[in-house]
Each structure stands twice: as C-alpha cells, then as structure tokens.
Amino acid sequence: MTAKEKIPLSAPSSTVPRFNARESWRIFGIMAEFVEATERLNAIRPAVSIFGSARTPPDHMYYMLAERISRLLSDAGFAVISGGGPGIMEAANKGAYFGKSPSIGLNIQLPLEQAANPYQDISQTFQHFFARKFMFVKFASAYVVLPGGFGTLDELMEAMTLIQTGKSRNIPIILVHEPFWRGLLDWFRDRLIAERMINPADLDLIQLIDKPEDVVEAIFKHYETRGFLPLPEEHELMLNL
C-alpha cells in the first residue's frame, strides 16, 4: 500500500474537529505555564532540585536525611526546588524553608489530588508534567536524588539522558543512600555497559554519596573553577532543551 492509501482523507467522526480545536487551544495553556513559571523562578538561582518518594513519613530516615541535606544547601546559599508534595518533597521544602535561601515547590495537578506541603516560599502549580520537568532542569545547578519510585526514577533518567546527549549542561547528579541505589548501579554495569547500551564513562555522570555534608561539598567542588550560573554557551544550549 502507498502512504496515500494508508492515510484517510477525511476524519472518521464528526467529533474529531471539535477535539482538534481543543488540542490547538491547549497549546496556549502550555505556553502560559512556561512563561509564568520562568518569570517567577528566574531570580532564585543558584538552585538544587531534590527528588524522592512522596510516600516517606516524617519519622523515616530518608525524610530526615532529605531535610538535613536541604537545610545545609539552603544555608550555603542554594534555593531548593522540590515537587511540592508530601514525603521527601516535603522534607526538602521544610529544610530550605527554615534555612537562609528560598524553598520552591513545583506542584502538579493530579487526578488524585496531590496536596501541596506547607513549607514553600514559592509555590508554582502545573497541569502538564513536561512543563514542570523542564523547570526542574532549567533552574538546577545540581540534582540530588533520594530513594523514590517511578516519578523519582523518571526525573533521574531524564536528567542523565539530557546530559549524556548534550542537550543540557553538565550538572552534578547525586544519588543519596548507597544501599538503596546499589542494585540499580550494578544493573547499569552488568547489563547496559556489558551489552554496550551505554558507554562506561556515562556512569561518571552519577555520584553516590551518603552524608549530607558531603553532598554540599560535592556540588561546590563541581563548580570550584567556575560560577554556578550557566555560561553563555550553556545558556544557548538550554534554549534548545
């Protein structure tokens, strides 16, 4: 069959044009999210994005670890960005909220509503995941990733992919709590590297750190020969993210 034979000349249902119009207008809503978030967050750099499970209770070791890391980062001059929800996101916002630098929550509207935690100096709400994810990358000087589920892994893999492919600037990606991440890193080596799905050097994008003080030190070490803000060529790169 030819391409002309495969593609229908007309819509199979009279309802399709109505939905096409809604999809077109939706673009303006997406643009508005990008513009509003960029304007509100432009002054908060340098910043560190922190990720982790929404299901972690306040008395859990991971929660307390995230809160401590966030407080140290905030007192060191970094704004802290989280997903704005409960669990480790709340811990990250809480540490920064009581620190010296801003606490930012990038909240998402979900079918089962995610409640925003109360520890946010700046709270920005998104309807679209990809607009929200863009802001995590755009304003981050580092990623700090604590134990979490699919959403945490999604953010981690996207950051690694963007840096690996040269679509984003090289920032520290720090995994916290080695026992949680050990199996994943072993799988990267035993499967992805062994079967040549990635290069061995790609694992150098990740640092595995346990102590909160060492997380802050690693970020400062990465930038010891340059400033935290994007260089002109990196800024140009981010425009094409």
Side-chain angles (χ1 to χ4, degrees):
M1 294 180 66
T2 66
K4 186 175 181 180
E5 291 172 316
K6 294 179 181 180
I7 300 173
L9 297 179
S10 59
S13 169
S14 60
T15 62
V16 171
R18 176 168 59 88
F19 285 108
N20 285 344
R22 287 179 61 193
E23 285 291 319
S24 298
W25 280 105
R26 179 170 169 264
I27 294 172
F28 292 100
I30 296 169
M31 291 171 59
E33 285 195 350
F34 275 95
V35 171
E36 181 182 355
T38 299
E39 289 184 347
R40 291 197 69 195
L41 302 179
N42 234 0
I44 58 96
R45 290 179 285 194
V48 174
S49 292
I50 296 182
F51 304 94
S53 175
R55 304 182 183 187
T56 306
D59 60 351
H60 196 284
M61 178 187 69
Y62 297 159
Y63 185 105
M64 293 182 277
L65 188 59
E67 184 178 352
R68 176 62 178 162
I69 292 170
S70 180
R71 179 61 184 267
L72 290 174
L73 287 168
S74 180
D75 287 343
F78 293 98
V80 172
I81 304 173
S82 93
I88 287 175
M89 292 180 284
E90 177 183 287
N93 283 134
K94 185 177 180 181
Y97 188 79
F98 291 107
K100 297 179 180 179
S101 303
S103 170
I104 295 98
L106 304 185
N107 302 276
I108 184 72
Q109 293 181 358
L110 299 174
L112 298 176
E113 191 67 28
Q114 171 181 297
N117 70 68
Y119 304 107
Q120 302 177 41
D121 296 305
I122 299 175
S123 179
Q124 184 70 27
T125 300
F126 296 83
Q127 290 186 354
H128 305 95
F129 264 114
F130 61 87
R132 177 179 180 246
K133 289 168 70 176
F134 175 85
M135 298 302 160
F136 281 125
V137 177
K138 177 178 175 62
F139 293 102
S141 295
Y143 263 37
V144 174
V145 189
L146 285 98
F150 287 156
T152 301
L153 292 174
D154 179 43
E155 298 290 355
L156 170 62
M157 296 304 173
E158 178 164 46
M160 292 175 62
T161 300
L162 290 171
I163 296 173
Q164 179 206 45
T165 56
K167 293 295 289 182
S168 177
R169 65 179 181 138
N170 186 11
I171 64 174
I173 299 176
I174 299 171
L175 304 184
V176 179
H177 194 59
E178 189 267 348
F180 182 87
W181 297 108
R182 183 190 303 125
L184 178 64
L185 296 181
D186 287 344
W187 183 78
F188 284 172
R189 296 185 186 95
D190 296 342
R191 286 291 176 262
L192 300 188
I193 291 177
E195 299 189 23
R196 299 183 180 181
M197 304 296 177
I198 63 172
N199 294 323
D202 290 334
L203 280 191
D204 294 339
L205 297 174
I206 305 171
Q207 300 180 63
L208 189 57
I209 299 176
D210 286 335
K211 295 181 180 180
E213 294 79 5
D214 293 344
V215 171
V216 180
E217 182 180 347
I219 295 172
F220 274 106
K221 184 176 181 180
H222 181 88
Y223 291 99
E224 62 186 357
T225 60
R226 50 159 295 172
F228 292 106
L229 298 181
L231 301 173
E233 59 270 23
E234 292 174 334
H235 182 72
E236 188 68 27
L237 185 69
M238 299 298 284
L239 292 176
N240 296 307
L241 185 62

